[in-house]
mmCIF file of all heavy atoms in Angstrom:
data_model
loop_
_atom_site.group_PDB
_atom_site.id
_atom_site.type_symbol
_atom_site.label_atom_id
_atom_site.label_comp_id
_atom_site.label_asym_id
_atom_site.label_seq_id
_atom_site.Cartn_x
_atom_site.Cartn_y
_atom_site.Cartn_z
ATOM 1 N N GLU A 199 -32.664 16.549 -33.039
ATOM 2 C CA GLU A 199 -33.885 17.295 -32.758
ATOM 3 C C GLU A 199 -33.745 17.946 -31.386
ATOM 4 O O GLU A 199 -33.767 17.271 -30.372
ATOM 5 C CB GLU A 199 -35.087 16.363 -32.748
ATOM 6 C CG GLU A 199 -35.269 15.628 -34.053
ATOM 7 C CD GLU A 199 -36.318 14.550 -33.939
ATOM 8 O OE1 GLU A 199 -37.305 14.740 -33.227
ATOM 9 O OE2 GLU A 199 -36.122 13.513 -34.563
ATOM 10 N N ALA A 200 -33.587 19.245 -31.371
ATOM 11 C CA ALA A 200 -33.386 19.938 -30.100
ATOM 12 C C ALA A 200 -34.604 20.768 -29.753
ATOM 13 O O ALA A 200 -34.603 21.977 -29.857
ATOM 14 C CB ALA A 200 -32.148 20.807 -30.163
ATOM 15 N N THR A 201 -35.662 20.090 -29.366
ATOM 16 C CA THR A 201 -36.841 20.823 -28.919
ATOM 17 C C THR A 201 -36.666 21.166 -27.445
ATOM 18 O O THR A 201 -35.909 20.502 -26.725
ATOM 19 C CB THR A 201 -38.111 19.981 -29.098
ATOM 20 O OG1 THR A 201 -38.015 18.831 -28.260
ATOM 21 C CG2 THR A 201 -38.282 19.569 -30.557
ATOM 22 N N GLU A 202 -37.372 22.173 -27.002
ATOM 23 C CA GLU A 202 -37.253 22.581 -25.609
ATOM 24 C C GLU A 202 -37.593 21.443 -24.642
ATOM 25 O O GLU A 202 -36.864 21.224 -23.672
ATOM 26 C CB GLU A 202 -38.119 23.804 -25.340
ATOM 27 C CG GLU A 202 -37.907 24.370 -23.952
ATOM 28 C CD GLU A 202 -38.676 25.658 -23.746
ATOM 29 O OE1 GLU A 202 -38.948 26.364 -24.724
ATOM 30 O OE2 GLU A 202 -38.994 25.961 -22.585
ATOM 31 N N PRO A 203 -38.672 20.682 -24.899
ATOM 32 C CA PRO A 203 -38.962 19.556 -23.981
ATOM 33 C C PRO A 203 -37.826 18.527 -23.927
ATOM 34 O O PRO A 203 -37.545 17.971 -22.863
ATOM 35 C CB PRO A 203 -40.237 18.938 -24.566
ATOM 36 C CG PRO A 203 -40.890 20.051 -25.306
ATOM 37 C CD PRO A 203 -39.765 20.873 -25.867
ATOM 38 N N GLN A 204 -37.166 18.281 -25.077
ATOM 39 C CA GLN A 204 -36.039 17.340 -25.074
ATOM 40 C C GLN A 204 -34.897 17.870 -24.233
ATOM 41 O O GLN A 204 -34.268 17.128 -23.477
ATOM 42 C CB GLN A 204 -35.536 17.094 -26.495
ATOM 43 C CG GLN A 204 -36.333 16.098 -27.284
ATOM 44 C CD GLN A 204 -35.694 15.827 -28.627
ATOM 45 O OE1 GLN A 204 -35.306 16.753 -29.332
ATOM 46 N NE2 GLN A 204 -35.579 14.568 -28.968
ATOM 47 N N ILE A 205 -34.595 19.136 -24.395
ATOM 48 C CA ILE A 205 -33.493 19.734 -23.644
ATOM 49 C C ILE A 205 -33.788 19.674 -22.146
ATOM 50 O O ILE A 205 -32.927 19.303 -21.350
ATOM 51 C CB ILE A 205 -33.240 21.185 -24.118
ATOM 52 C CG1 ILE A 205 -32.742 21.158 -25.559
ATOM 53 C CG2 ILE A 205 -32.247 21.893 -23.201
ATOM 54 C CD1 ILE A 205 -32.750 22.511 -26.241
ATOM 55 N N ILE A 206 -35.008 19.988 -21.781
ATOM 56 C CA ILE A 206 -35.400 19.934 -20.372
ATOM 57 C C ILE A 206 -35.286 18.504 -19.843
ATOM 58 O O ILE A 206 -34.755 18.271 -18.756
ATOM 59 C CB ILE A 206 -36.828 20.493 -20.184
ATOM 60 C CG1 ILE A 206 -36.814 21.997 -20.445
ATOM 61 C CG2 ILE A 206 -37.359 20.179 -18.789
ATOM 62 C CD1 ILE A 206 -38.191 22.628 -20.544
ATOM 63 N N THR A 207 -35.755 17.556 -20.642
ATOM 64 C CA THR A 207 -35.656 16.147 -20.244
ATOM 65 C C THR A 207 -34.202 15.740 -20.033
ATOM 66 O O THR A 207 -33.871 15.075 -19.046
ATOM 67 C CB THR A 207 -36.303 15.241 -21.315
ATOM 68 O OG1 THR A 207 -37.688 15.582 -21.425
ATOM 69 C CG2 THR A 207 -36.166 13.777 -20.964
ATOM 70 N N ALA A 208 -33.333 16.141 -20.950
ATOM 71 C CA ALA A 208 -31.914 15.781 -20.850
ATOM 72 C C ALA A 208 -31.265 16.409 -19.620
ATOM 73 O O ALA A 208 -30.519 15.746 -18.899
ATOM 74 C CB ALA A 208 -31.174 16.209 -22.121
ATOM 75 N N VAL A 209 -31.555 17.661 -19.375
ATOM 76 C CA VAL A 209 -30.977 18.347 -18.210
ATOM 77 C C VAL A 209 -31.487 17.715 -16.918
ATOM 78 O O VAL A 209 -30.719 17.452 -15.988
ATOM 79 C CB VAL A 209 -31.280 19.859 -18.265
ATOM 80 C CG1 VAL A 209 -30.894 20.536 -16.955
ATOM 81 C CG2 VAL A 209 -30.541 20.502 -19.431
ATOM 82 N N GLN A 210 -32.783 17.418 -16.870
ATOM 83 C CA GLN A 210 -33.351 16.794 -15.670
ATOM 84 C C GLN A 210 -32.774 15.393 -15.438
ATOM 85 O O GLN A 210 -32.664 14.952 -14.304
ATOM 86 C CB GLN A 210 -34.872 16.724 -15.778
ATOM 87 C CG GLN A 210 -35.528 18.080 -15.623
ATOM 88 C CD GLN A 210 -37.037 18.041 -15.831
ATOM 89 O OE1 GLN A 210 -37.570 17.134 -16.455
ATOM 90 N NE2 GLN A 210 -37.718 19.054 -15.304
ATOM 91 N N ALA A 211 -32.384 14.719 -16.528
ATOM 92 C CA ALA A 211 -31.803 13.384 -16.394
ATOM 93 C C ALA A 211 -30.320 13.440 -16.027
ATOM 94 O O ALA A 211 -29.732 12.421 -15.689
ATOM 95 C CB ALA A 211 -31.989 12.600 -17.695
ATOM 96 N N GLY A 212 -29.724 14.631 -16.103
ATOM 97 C CA GLY A 212 -28.327 14.761 -15.682
ATOM 98 C C GLY A 212 -27.340 15.110 -16.774
ATOM 99 O O GLY A 212 -26.126 15.072 -16.539
ATOM 100 N N ALA A 213 -27.814 15.456 -17.977
ATOM 101 C CA ALA A 213 -26.882 15.840 -19.045
ATOM 102 C C ALA A 213 -26.162 17.133 -18.661
ATOM 103 O O ALA A 213 -26.767 18.053 -18.112
ATOM 104 C CB ALA A 213 -27.630 16.037 -20.359
#
Side-chain angles (χ1 to χ4, degrees):
E199 302 170 36
T201 64
E202 187 175 334
Q204 279 185 313
I205 294 167
I206 291 169
T207 299
V209 170
Q210 288 176 339

